[in-house]
Amino acid sequence: MPIIILVLGIAFLYFLLVKCKLNAFLSLLITCLVVGYAEGLPLAKLISSIETGMGGTLGHLAIILGLGAMFGKIMADGGGAQRIADTLIAKFGRKHVAWAVAITGFVVGITLFWEVSFVVLIPIVFTISVAGKIPLLEVGLPMLSAITISHCFLPPHPGPVAIANIFHANIGLVLVYGIIISIPTLLVTGPLFYKLVKKAGVNTEIPSGLKVGKVFEEHELPGFLISFFTALVPVIIIIASLVIEAAFPKDSLIVTVFKFIGTTDMALLIALLVSMYSFGFAQGKNIKDLMLSAEQSIKSIAMIILVIGGGGAFKQVIIDSGVGQYVASLMVGMPLSPYIVAWVITAVIRVAIGSSTVTLFTPAGLLLPLLSQPGVNPELMVIALACGSVFFDPPTDAAFWMVKEYFNFTLPQMFVIWGGLTSLIAIMGLIGVITLSFFI
């Protein structure tokens, strides 16, 4: 019954969005109330659950989205995004630029959270699309595939690390196996997946509020090195923080300092300040010009932030109603390979509750007994769960709404293209796990 209510709830959300043309935030809020009540949450708990879900999601994302939007807008308005885009197109050619974006996304995604990778790379994707007259999805889908693979398969991201600790798996081996599986997965789900989308005749336009404005003349652009360096400042800071933490005593001053500046919020804030010099003061702009760009960027994502918060509220209602644990308990004991069992349980929970990180934790305790079976490798079990946790990203996940709003997808397109892409990543990952299990 809880699963049927959830399915009907998602159908109701679809009805409000598509048939009634209701705003996405309002549709999510109304659906939260209907589904939460139907799942048996007390009314007082229901309101609390919505507030907790929205606050918990935006508490993490609002700062990242806000700083990321300002960073991206200043980089675009100062010519930095165009310089990076022009250089990538010139070096790799129009034909191969999508592969360059995919590789860049994969490398950036190894150290940055999915949301941070997204907001750092999206202005470059938009600018490549405009400057090279390339369909948005041709460069956008490889970027999305790359950062999703990095975030969910590879340490030091919190999901794989936490599950590795629960399963007593070797983090280093999880990383090695994850990279081995990631390479063919990225090849299939990156530029090659776009060919299927192109054959179907689907394309989208950059949202009007996020469109790249001025196209700069060559002499107006900043240099490539300063542009590339500034774009990678968050990556550099976070990598430096990880290195410092590994090299010095935990209670030393330098570790304390770098743990502070190595948080995603601080790394983006520092990157924003650096961009104000690289793409502002160094380009002859004043503080008034820069703050105007910052204000315009926040206006353009205000509704996006509310919609993402609504997705977080929906996710929390589902979690608090116990649907995830209910699904997991139903599916334990299936007569299949332990890796497939772990993947299927995690994938079903993913579709039910949304967040890939939360999905990873839900079945972990239930799946621990599988590790005692002969021939089961704990590192591959970690990756099997990680693969299942990205299957068919549902409307209860904040990432679903980020992709929808930034890429201007309709809801049917989201289910087919974004749902198809994340499902393909999950399936390719499982195939990789099973293949490696024959050799490890």
Side-chain angles (χ1 to χ4, degrees):
M1 190 62 178
I3 299 175
I4 295 173
I5 292 172
L6 178 60
V7 171
L8 291 174
I10 292 174
F12 178 63
L13 173 63
Y14 185 90
F15 172 77
L16 293 177
L17 287 166
V18 178
K19 297 297 182 182
C20 300
K21 308 294 182 186
L22 201 62
N23 170 274
F25 174 65
L26 292 176
S27 298
L28 282 163
L29 202 58
I30 293 169
T31 304
C32 285
L33 293 169
V34 172
V35 172
Y37 181 75
E39 293 283 11
L41 281 178
L43 293 180
K45 174 63 177 174
L46 177 54
I47 296 301
S48 172
S49 186
I50 291 172
E51 291 175 348
T52 300
M54 188 160 185
T57 300
L58 293 184
H60 167 61
L61 281 180
I63 296 175
I64 290 174
L65 288 171
L67 291 174
M70 288 187 277
F71 177 55
K73 179 68 172 171
I74 287 172
M75 180 162 61
D77 288 352
Q82 184 178 325
R83 171 60 78 189
I84 295 171
D86 288 349
T87 304
L88 288 176
I89 293 169
K91 294 293 183 184
F92 290 89
R94 162 67 178 79
K95 188 176 180 181
H96 302 294
V97 71
W99 289 104
V101 172
I103 294 168
T104 302
F106 184 73
V107 174
V108 168
I110 289 174
T111 54
L112 298 185
F113 284 110
W114 190 94
E115 299 87 356
V116 182
S117 301
F118 185 96
V119 298
V120 167
L121 293 172
I122 196 68
I124 297 173
V125 167
F126 284 170
T127 308
I128 288 175
S129 175
V130 172
K133 297 180 180 178
I134 300 170
L136 175 60
L137 297 185
E138 185 174 346
V139 283
L141 290 178
M143 181 274 285
L144 289 171
S145 172
I147 64 174
T148 301
I149 291 168
S150 292
H151 176 74
C152 291
F153 288 14
L154 305 178
H157 289 288
V161 170
I163 299 304
N165 289 333
I166 293 171
F167 287 174
H168 302 291
N170 184 298
I171 292 288
L173 288 177
V174 172
L175 179 60
V176 171
Y177 298 159
I179 290 174
I180 292 171
I181 294 170
S182 294
I183 293 170
T185 303
L186 183 58
L187 291 175
V188 172
T189 62
L192 293 180
F193 179 77
Y194 170 71
K195 291 185 178 181
L196 294 177
V197 175
K198 181 182 179 182
K199 186 176 278 191
V202 178
N203 195 33
T204 60
E205 300 293 331
I206 300 170
S208 57
L210 300 172
K211 280 184 178 177
V212 178
K214 178 182 178 180
V215 177
F216 294 84
E217 299 292 333
E218 176 65 26
H219 66 89
E220 297 177 301
L221 293 171
F224 173 74
L225 287 179
I226 188 64
S227 300
F228 194 66
F229 168 78
T230 304
L232 290 182
V233 163
V235 183
I236 294 168
I237 291 173
I238 291 173
I239 290 176
S241 175
L242 293 172
V243 171
I244 293 294
E245 286 184 52
F248 291 89
K250 291 184 178 180
D251 57 352
S252 62
L253 177 61
I254 189 170
V255 168
T256 301
V257 170
F258 270 87
K259 281 185 75 172
F260 173 67
I261 67 173
T263 60
T264 52
D265 296 348
M266 286 304 301
L268 272 174
L269 177 59
I270 293 168
L272 174 59
L273 296 175
V274 173
S275 73
M276 289 172 63
Y277 172 78
S278 302
F279 308 131
F281 302 133
Q283 297 297 105
K285 293 187 175 184
N286 56 41
I287 192 68
K288 185 177 179 181
D289 296 329
L290 294 173
M291 291 303 98
L292 180 61
S293 291
E295 290 171 12
Q296 290 173 342
S297 71
I298 295 301
K299 289 177 183 177
S300 68
I301 67 162
M303 184 52 69
I304 293 175
I305 289 176
L306 278 178
V307 170
I308 291 168
F314 193 15
K315 173 205 71 179
Q316 192 64 41
V317 166
I318 299 305
I319 292 172
D320 289 348
S321 66
V323 172
Q325 290 292 349
Y326 174 76
V327 169
S329 63
L330 282 179
M331 305 191 73
V332 169
M334 291 187 296
L336 297 169
S337 158
Y339 302 118
I340 296 176
V341 171
W343 185 92
V344 170
I345 290 174
T346 311
V348 173
I349 295 172
R350 155 70 157 180
V351 175
I353 67 176
S355 168
S356 60
T357 302
V358 175
T359 296
L360 275 172
F361 296 127
T362 303
L366 292 168
L367 294 172
L368 268 173
L370 295 179
L371 293 173
S372 62
Q373 295 188 20
V376 176
N377 182 284
E379 288 78 28
L380 290 181
M381 279 293 285
V382 171
I383 299 173
L385 262 74
C387 296
S389 75
V390 301
F391 182 80
F392 196 82
D393 191 25
T396 45
D397 187 22
F400 179 98
W401 298 102
M402 287 180 70
V403 172
K404 181 184 182 303
E405 298 301 316
Y406 275 89
F407 282 88
N408 225 0
F409 281 124
T410 64
L411 203 60
Q413 287 172 338
M414 279 298 293
F415 286 125
V416 174
I417 297 174
W418 178 235
L421 177 60
T422 50
S423 298
L424 186 57
I425 290 171
I427 293 166
M428 285 293 299
L430 177 62
I431 292 171
V433 166
I434 294 173
T435 302
L436 282 182
S437 71
F438 291 118
F439 302 97
I440 295 171

